[in-house]
Amino acid sequence: MKKILSIMLVAALAMPMFAEKQSPEERANADYSAWLPQAGDFSIGFSVDPFANFLGNMFSNAGATPNDYTRGDYNIGGQGLGYNPNSANILVNPTVSIMGSYMLSDNLGVKANIGIIVDHTRTVYQVEDDAAKFANPFSHDLVQDVKVAGQYGGSFSAGVEYRLGKKRVQGVFGAGLMYAFQNRTTKYTYGNQITAMNQVPTVAGALGAGGDNVYGYNAEPGVYAGTRLINDAVSPAAGEAFWHRFGLYTTIGVEWFVAPKIALGMNVNLDLLYKWTNNNCKQYEGYNLLTNKVETFTDLRGVTNYSGVTFNTENIGANIYMAFYFGK
């Protein structure tokens, strides 16, 4: 998708360079009405933010580490979500942002936008098999520990827009409603199972002390011999891990028609949104010394809820985009 959008953007920007040369008077008197959206037209647009960010990083982030490209607050379809003072490795740009509109008249239309974030990483670690090692101290059999880290979210906005201008550049003004959410979680599964004979089994080095430290907290000392993390939805790095926002937005921007019915657009937003979080918690597994069973413990202690109101200039959906208009 990013490659296709990049090709379309480069081709669209190159079109004017190959157009027939016109005098200033001819350009001033040119009729671009056939280039512009008209009553009954509908459009589909795609974010070119990933392409623009790639170009920007080429010139502004030389020598940066991969994490430097992903620092910042949560973003859904361009929409910043939540306050996160420890925001490292946070995906800040939408993987997909798609918009559509329908023109009620030559100047007035209705518009909707969907933004999506999907960042799913599955890491497999090889670790020695405790059971095989117990049966044969010289065994080098292996089992696998698996870590699945993901950020998932979406934004949905709908509203009206009004256009001004009859040349190749139009001002676009709009308002509407939006809802956005995002969740971040890390889950673990382990190759060495907890048993009565092996109550604190071996985990991969990257998941032990000095790494994720999955044994770093015993949820119930004296009840469990030890507990290891299996689901982390609210780690210190994640901050407020599950945010929602709902409210009003306004937008102002421009669209430059680089060819008939093809526009390069950009906008900024001013919004008033209510934000809140859900109860997210951590889950552990361990051998219960009282029941002599392996149990899962859901720790609700210390869970914090957040809520509030934001009034700010932010970006909803694609703030740099290509739009294609189609007639009846």
Side-chain angles (χ1 to χ4, degrees), residues 10-322:
V10 172
L13 294 177
M15 287 179 186
M17 293 188 291
F18 298 100
E20 182 180 354
K21 188 174 181 180
Q22 293 178 314
S23 67
E25 293 79 9
E26 289 174 327
R27 286 196 298 270
N29 296 322
D31 180 9
Y32 290 103
S33 59
W35 290 40
L36 306 178
Q38 299 170 343
D41 285 358
F42 65 92
S43 75
I44 184 169
F46 305 92
S47 169
V48 297
D49 291 348
F51 176 69
N53 292 338
F54 173 75
L55 291 180
N57 289 336
M58 287 178 62
F59 297 102
S60 64
N61 281 338
T65 64
N67 287 347
D68 293 328
Y69 299 118
T70 56
R71 296 189 186 276
D73 291 346
Y74 288 115
N75 277 253
I76 310 299
Q79 170 63 50
L81 281 188
Y83 170 66
N84 181 8
N86 303 307
S87 52
N89 302 315
I90 304 298
L91 189 65
V92 300
N93 291 308
T95 308
V96 178
S97 189
I98 303 174
M99 65 198 70
S101 68
Y102 178 77
M103 298 301 298
L104 302 173
S105 70
D106 289 355
N107 301 103
L108 181 65
V110 291
K111 189 172 188 176
N113 187 96
I114 298 175
I116 299 172
I117 280 182
V118 177
D119 182 25
H120 179 93
T121 303
R122 183 177 185 268
T123 307
V124 178
Y125 304 93
Q126 304 295 333
V127 59
E128 287 192 336
D129 186 335
D130 284 352
K133 200 78 171 178
F134 179 80
N136 176 11
F138 299 101
S139 171
H140 292 292
D141 289 350
L142 300 174
V143 292
Q144 293 182 339
D145 290 348
V146 179
K147 173 183 175 181
V148 177
Q151 299 177 64
Y152 313 98
S155 70
F156 311 91
S157 63
V160 296
E161 63 177 20
Y162 188 80
R163 297 171 169 271
L164 292 175
K166 297 186 179 296
K167 297 298 183 179
R168 289 173 56 187
V169 178
Q170 286 191 315
V172 184
F173 308 87
L177 296 173
M178 67 88 64
Y179 165 73
F181 73 93
Q182 183 164 356
N183 191 27
R184 184 183 183 201
T185 185
T186 305
K187 296 182 179 181
Y188 302 87
T189 57
Y190 304 96
N192 286 313
Q193 302 304 305
I194 298 174
T195 65
M197 296 293 295
N198 191 12
Q199 298 176 6
V200 185
T202 304
V203 298
L207 303 182
D212 289 19
N213 200 21
V214 295
Y215 277 123
Y217 173 68
N218 190 337
E220 289 286 342
V223 176
Y224 295 98
T227 57
R228 60 184 180 185
L229 190 61
I230 57 175
N231 185 9
D232 180 7
V234 60
S235 69
E240 300 89 57
F242 196 173
W243 272 94
H244 303 268
R245 279 193 178 186
F246 178 77
L248 302 170
Y249 77 89
T250 59
T251 181
I252 180 172
V254 295
E255 287 189 2
W256 171 41
F257 284 82
V258 297
K261 306 293 186 178
I262 301 177
L264 175 64
M266 59 186 65
N267 59 51
V268 293
N269 305 105
L270 178 67
D271 53 47
L272 177 63
L273 302 173
Y274 177 72
K275 61 181 180 180
W276 72 98
T277 61
N278 278 13
N279 276 331
N280 277 354
C281 56
K282 293 186 179 183
Q283 288 184 310
Y284 302 86
E285 65 178 2
Y287 188 80
N288 191 316
L289 301 172
L290 304 180
T291 63
N292 295 320
K293 295 179 180 179
V294 178
E295 296 177 352
T296 297
F297 182 85
T298 301
D299 193 355
L300 297 175
R301 297 168 296 185
V303 171
T304 305
N305 284 316
Y306 300 84
S307 63
V309 176
T310 61
F311 181 67
N312 205 350
T313 54
E314 296 174 303
N315 291 314
I316 296 170
N319 62 326
I320 304 176
Y321 60 91
M322 290 292 297

